[in-house]
Amino acid sequence: EYHPDDEPPKPAIKEHPRNWPNEARLDLHGMTAVEAKDALESFFSDAVRKARRKVLIVHGKGHHSTGEPVLKRIVLDFLDGNPRAGMRGYADRRNGGRGATWVVIK
Protein backbone atom coordinates (compact mmCIF):
# COMPACT_ATOMS: atom_id res chain seq x y z
CA GLU A 1 0.00 0.00 0.00
CA TYR A 2 1.27 3.53 -0.86
CA HIS A 3 1.92 6.01 1.93
CA PRO A 4 3.08 9.58 1.11
CA ASP A 5 5.14 9.56 4.30
CA ASP A 6 7.34 6.82 2.80
CA GLU A 7 8.77 9.18 0.16
CA PRO A 8 12.15 10.75 0.83
CA PRO A 9 12.01 14.48 1.50
CA LYS A 10 12.56 16.70 -1.54
CA PRO A 11 15.73 18.78 -1.43
CA ALA A 12 15.22 22.43 -0.51
CA ILE A 13 15.28 24.76 -3.49
CA LYS A 14 18.11 27.26 -3.17
CA GLU A 15 16.99 30.83 -3.57
CA HIS A 16 18.56 32.48 -6.61
CA PRO A 17 20.86 35.42 -5.76
CA ARG A 18 18.74 37.73 -7.95
CA ASN A 19 16.15 37.48 -5.15
CA TRP A 20 18.55 38.39 -2.37
CA PRO A 21 18.25 41.96 -1.08
CA ASN A 22 20.72 44.54 -2.35
CA GLU A 23 22.86 45.47 0.64
CA ALA A 24 24.50 48.52 -0.94
CA ARG A 25 23.87 50.68 -4.00
CA LEU A 26 26.07 52.83 -6.22
CA ASP A 27 24.56 55.25 -8.75
CA LEU A 28 26.98 56.28 -11.51
CA HIS A 29 24.60 58.62 -13.35
CA GLY A 30 26.29 61.83 -14.42
CA MET A 31 29.83 60.60 -13.80
CA THR A 32 32.65 60.67 -16.31
CA ALA A 33 34.43 57.42 -17.16
CA VAL A 34 37.31 58.25 -14.81
CA GLU A 35 34.95 59.20 -11.96
CA ALA A 36 32.95 56.00 -12.49
CA LYS A 37 36.06 53.80 -12.37
CA ASP A 38 37.22 55.47 -9.14
CA ALA A 39 33.75 55.19 -7.60
CA LEU A 40 33.53 51.50 -8.54
CA GLU A 41 36.91 50.73 -6.98
CA SER A 42 35.99 52.48 -3.75
CA PHE A 43 32.44 51.07 -3.59
CA PHE A 44 33.51 47.51 -4.26
CA SER A 45 36.38 47.63 -1.76
CA ASP A 46 33.98 48.99 0.85
CA ALA A 47 31.42 46.25 0.07
CA VAL A 48 34.08 43.55 0.48
CA ARG A 49 35.34 45.11 3.73
CA LYS A 50 31.79 45.26 5.12
CA ALA A 51 31.07 41.65 4.04
CA ARG A 52 28.15 42.56 1.79
CA ARG A 53 26.66 39.58 -0.06
CA LYS A 54 25.03 41.43 -2.95
CA VAL A 55 25.26 44.98 -4.26
CA LEU A 56 23.57 47.02 -6.97
CA ILE A 57 25.39 49.26 -9.44
CA VAL A 58 23.21 51.72 -11.37
CA HIS A 59 24.88 52.62 -14.66
CA GLY A 60 21.94 53.70 -16.79
CA LYS A 61 20.96 52.41 -20.19
CA GLY A 62 23.25 54.67 -22.16
CA HIS A 63 20.60 56.88 -23.80
CA HIS A 64 23.01 59.83 -23.64
CA SER A 65 26.04 57.92 -24.94
CA THR A 66 27.07 58.02 -28.55
CA GLY A 67 27.44 54.41 -29.66
CA GLU A 68 27.79 51.81 -26.92
CA PRO A 69 26.66 52.75 -23.37
CA VAL A 70 29.88 54.00 -21.75
CA LEU A 71 29.14 53.49 -18.05
CA LYS A 72 27.63 50.05 -18.58
CA ARG A 73 30.80 48.92 -20.42
CA ILE A 74 32.98 50.31 -17.60
CA VAL A 75 30.95 48.38 -15.01
CA LEU A 76 31.07 45.11 -16.96
CA ASP A 77 34.80 45.42 -17.63
CA PHE A 78 35.43 46.19 -13.95
CA LEU A 79 33.42 43.16 -12.82
CA ASP A 80 35.08 40.88 -15.38
CA GLY A 81 38.49 41.85 -13.99
CA ASN A 82 37.61 41.65 -10.31
CA PRO A 83 38.17 38.26 -8.64
CA ARG A 84 35.72 39.18 -5.82
CA ALA A 85 32.85 39.74 -8.28
CA GLY A 86 30.65 36.67 -8.54
CA MET A 87 27.37 35.98 -10.24
CA ARG A 88 25.63 39.02 -11.68
CA GLY A 89 22.58 40.04 -13.63
CA TYR A 90 20.34 42.94 -14.54
CA ALA A 91 18.10 44.39 -11.85
CA ASP A 92 14.35 44.00 -11.84
CA ARG A 93 12.35 46.85 -13.37
CA ARG A 94 11.76 48.49 -9.97
CA ASN A 95 15.53 48.79 -9.40
CA GLY A 96 16.55 49.99 -12.85
CA GLY A 97 16.09 47.02 -15.17
CA ARG A 98 18.85 46.82 -17.78
CA GLY A 99 20.20 50.12 -16.46
CA ALA A 100 21.46 48.47 -13.27
CA THR A 101 23.52 45.39 -12.50
CA TRP A 102 23.42 43.34 -9.29
CA VAL A 103 26.57 41.53 -8.23
CA VAL A 104 27.27 38.81 -5.67
CA ILE A 105 30.42 39.48 -3.66
CA LYS A 106 32.62 36.39 -3.27
Side-chain angles (χ1 to χ4, degrees), residues 34-63:
V34 172
E35 291 168 339
K37 287 176 187 176
D38 289 346
L40 274 168
E41 289 282 350
S42 176
F43 174 74
F44 216 77
S45 293
D46 189 56
V48 168
R49 190 170 45 258
K50 292 181 178 175
R52 304 288 191 223
R53 286 186 356 158
K54 180 183 159 198
V55 298
L56 183 69
I57 302 166
V58 180
H59 44 70
K61 296 177 184 170
H63 294 306

Side-chain angles (χ1 to χ4, degrees), residues 1-98:
E1 186 175 313
Y2 173 77
H3 291 285
D5 294 338
D6 294 340
E7 291 183 26
K10 293 181 181 177
I13 297 172
K14 264 182 120 174
E15 186 178 10
H16 194 281
R18 91 171 64 84
N19 299 321
W20 298 352
N22 297 314
E23 297 177 341
R25 180 178 196 267
L26 172 65
D27 190 341
L28 300 175
H29 279 107
M31 291 187 190
T32 65
V34 172
E35 291 168 339
K37 287 176 187 176
D38 289 346
L40 274 168
E41 289 282 350
S42 176
F43 174 74
F44 216 77
S45 293
D46 189 56
V48 168
R49 190 170 45 258
K50 292 181 178 175
R52 304 288 191 223
R53 286 186 356 158
K54 180 183 159 198
V55 298
L56 183 69
I57 302 166
V58 180
H59 44 70
K61 296 177 184 170
H63 294 306
H64 301 290
S65 299
T66 54
E68 181 184 33
V70 174
L71 294 177
K72 181 177 177 181
R73 173 54 34 213
I74 288 170
V75 169
L76 296 179
D77 288 347
F78 173 82
L79 296 175
D80 286 344
N82 192 312
R84 298 301 302 265
M87 186 184 296
R88 68 181 184 229
Y90 291 117
D92 59 19
R93 178 174 279 143
R94 182 174 42 90
N95 285 305
R98 295 183 68 81

